[in-house]
Amino acid sequence: MPITDPIADLFCSIKNAIAADKKYVVVNSSNNRKQILRILEEEKFIEKFIILEPSEEDERKFEQLKIQIRYLENGESFIRGLQKVSKPGKRVYVNVSSIPVVLNHIGTALISTNKGILTDAAARKYNVGGEYIGKIW
């Protein structure tokens, strides 16, 4: 069955891995997912992500992404919450002046712009708006 919202699927996979105290999670790859994971890695929400190439030995037919979840010393996840804002049935767009601030800049908003997927701070810096994908804190 095809996935209708791959970004929501990514967020759900990460939340489920955190709830199950998993060290990593493997998801199917896409360019948008790679951009989002690159941002999460730069913002230190995840340790890292690795691109797993297709392999006959592992019966992997498509490229996948292995995401290493970041945990604090006390065992809690660094990610407190992930929320998808724009959905396939109701897209949410923001202009530069209405880009949201997530928890007084503790969290990060993800904005899909014509310059790619950017954080809220980067979108303000480049003076661009776009689709408000989601937020992480």
Side-chain angles (χ1 to χ4, degrees):
M1 185 168 160
I3 297 172
T4 56
D5 193 355
I7 296 171
D9 182 59
L10 171 68
F11 286 179
C12 188
S13 296
I14 292 172
K15 284 195 273 190
N16 288 343
I18 291 169
D21 291 328
K22 300 281 185 180
K23 298 256 188 232
Y24 66 89
V25 63
V26 177
V27 296
N28 289 330
S29 179
S30 75
N31 288 334
N32 283 341
R33 288 178 178 185
K34 287 178 191 175
Q35 287 184 18
I36 289 171
L37 291 174
R38 178 189 48 79
I39 289 171
L40 295 183
E41 186 176 21
E42 287 172 0
E43 297 287 322
K44 306 287 188 220
F45 284 109
I46 62 174
E47 289 289 334
K48 63 181 177 178
F49 74 97
I50 301 167
I51 299 171
L52 302 173
E53 298 296 331
S55 168
E56 291 181 18
E57 298 168 3
D58 299 333
E59 298 178 14
R60 199 176 316 114
K61 295 179 182 176
F62 304 104
E63 186 177 86
Q64 292 183 319
L65 303 168
K66 183 176 180 180
I67 307 162
Q68 187 175 348
I69 309 292
R70 182 175 178 204
Y71 288 97
L72 300 172
E73 291 177 7
N74 63 2
E76 286 186 41
S77 168
F78 194 79
I79 297 174
R80 302 285 184 205
L82 264 167
Q83 184 180 7
K84 181 86 162 76
V85 175
S86 187
K87 297 178 167 85
K90 184 181 179 190
R91 302 286 184 190
V92 178
Y93 295 95
V94 293
N95 57 26
V96 147
S97 62
S98 63
I99 292 175
V101 174
V102 180
L103 291 178
N104 260 346
H105 300 287
I106 294 173
T108 302
L110 300 170
I111 313 291
S112 179
T113 69
N114 58 353
K115 297 186 183 294
I117 297 177
L118 302 173
T119 63
D120 53 348
R124 281 189 204 92
K125 177 182 171 187
Y126 293 124
N127 199 29
V128 293
E131 184 181 352
Y132 182 18
I133 295 174
K135 56 187 173 181
I136 183 168
W137 65 96

